[in-house]
């Protein structure tokens, strides 16, 4: 049975919400943190999130691009659900082996949707979009489970459309 969005939000909050003093990737500090691995490590919760997230995939998407590290299990699960292929995007290319920033196949000329777990400012999505565009990918969409930011102006400036399942207001104590 698929949970209502409100019931799913309560489960996500319970599985992920932490209080304390946290340094975010953006460099900002926060008294609250959403530990997304609470979703990705729980098969039932991950399945429920994917059921709600899959219909939000932009129609023109040809490839799902999971950003290291939390976006990778999400893009894999979305790939299984949507039957769209997935790629795995590193924060930095390895200095050995194939030395790629993007694993899983070619992206040149393909319409990618970046998949992320939690976004505050969109910094990593912006960096990854630039790297993928340099490889010839067409990147104009970003999806995440939780958008904890206040606006998506930085993403919009880079011509990236943000779609999310939950924002900060959706996730409150059960």
């Amino acid at each position: 049975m698929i949970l209502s969005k409100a019931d799913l939000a309560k489960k996500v909050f319970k599985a992920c919400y932490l209080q304390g003093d946290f340094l975010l990737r953006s460099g900002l500090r926060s008294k609250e943190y959403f530990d997304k691995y609470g979703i990705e490590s729980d098969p039932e919760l991950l399945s429920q999130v994917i059921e709600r997230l899959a219909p939000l995939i932009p129609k023109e998407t040809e490839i799902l691009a999971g950003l290291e590290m939390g976006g990778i299990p999400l893009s894999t699960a979305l790939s299984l659900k949507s039957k769209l292929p997935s790629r795995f995007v590193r924060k930095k290319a390895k200095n050995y082996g194939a030395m790629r920033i993007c694993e899983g196949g070619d992206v040149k000329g393909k319409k990618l949707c970046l998949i992320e777990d939690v976004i505050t400012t969109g910094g990593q999505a912006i960096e990854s979009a630039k790297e993928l565009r340099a490889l010839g990918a067409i990147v104009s969409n970003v999806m995440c489970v939780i958008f904890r930011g206040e606006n998506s102006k930085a993403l919009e400036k880079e011509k990236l459309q943000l779609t999310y399942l939950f924002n900060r207001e959706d996730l409150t104590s059960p």
Side-chain angles (χ1 to χ4, degrees):
M1 181 177 102
I2 299 173
L3 296 173
S4 71
K5 187 174 176 183
D7 287 342
L8 182 57
K10 289 175 187 173
K11 284 191 174 284
V12 166
F13 182 89
K14 185 176 180 187
C16 300
Y17 185 76
L18 301 173
Q19 289 183 307
D21 182 33
F22 302 97
L23 177 62
L24 305 177
R25 186 217 171 269
S26 63
L28 300 171
R29 295 206 78 83
S30 179
K31 299 280 186 221
E32 60 182 8
Y33 185 75
F34 291 99
D35 183 5
K36 64 275 185 178
Y37 300 113
I39 297 167
E40 296 161 349
S41 62
D42 179 330
E44 181 57 36
L45 187 55
L46 177 59
S47 178
Q48 290 285 333
V49 166
I50 294 306
E51 286 293 330
R52 290 266 171 202
L53 203 55
L56 303 178
I57 298 170
K59 299 293 181 218
E60 67 274 13
T61 301
E62 295 176 286
I63 296 176
L64 303 167
L67 304 187
E68 181 184 353
M69 176 165 145
I72 291 175
L74 293 169
S75 70
T76 301
L78 279 169
S79 178
L80 287 168
K81 176 73 177 165
S82 68
K83 306 303 182 208
L84 289 167
S86 186
R87 301 293 185 267
F88 311 115
V89 183
R90 297 179 182 282
K91 290 179 183 166
K92 181 177 154 187
K94 295 189 306 184
N95 59 0
Y96 60 91
M99 297 189 260
R100 295 183 193 137
I101 194 84
C102 182
E103 301 285 357
D106 192 22
V107 294
K108 187 175 183 177
K110 299 293 184 184
K111 294 176 184 172
L112 275 60
C113 179
L114 303 183
I115 308 297
E116 186 65 290
D117 44 22
V118 179
I119 291 179
T120 302
T121 63
Q124 187 58 53
I126 291 167
E127 287 178 27
S128 294
K130 288 178 182 178
E131 294 273 358
L132 292 164
R133 287 170 175 161
L135 295 175
I138 302 161
V139 185
S140 55
N141 294 289
V142 181
M143 284 182 57
C144 67
V145 176
I146 301 170
F147 177 56
R148 57 171 282 137
E150 294 179 13
N151 65 59
S152 57
K153 287 186 182 20
L155 291 166
E156 291 167 8
K157 183 179 174 192
E158 296 298 324
K159 296 184 176 31
L160 292 168
Q161 176 66 43
L162 176 64
T163 303
Y164 54 86
L165 183 57
F166 300 115
N167 63 21
R168 180 178 270 165
E169 290 76 35
D170 295 325
L171 300 172
T172 57
S173 180

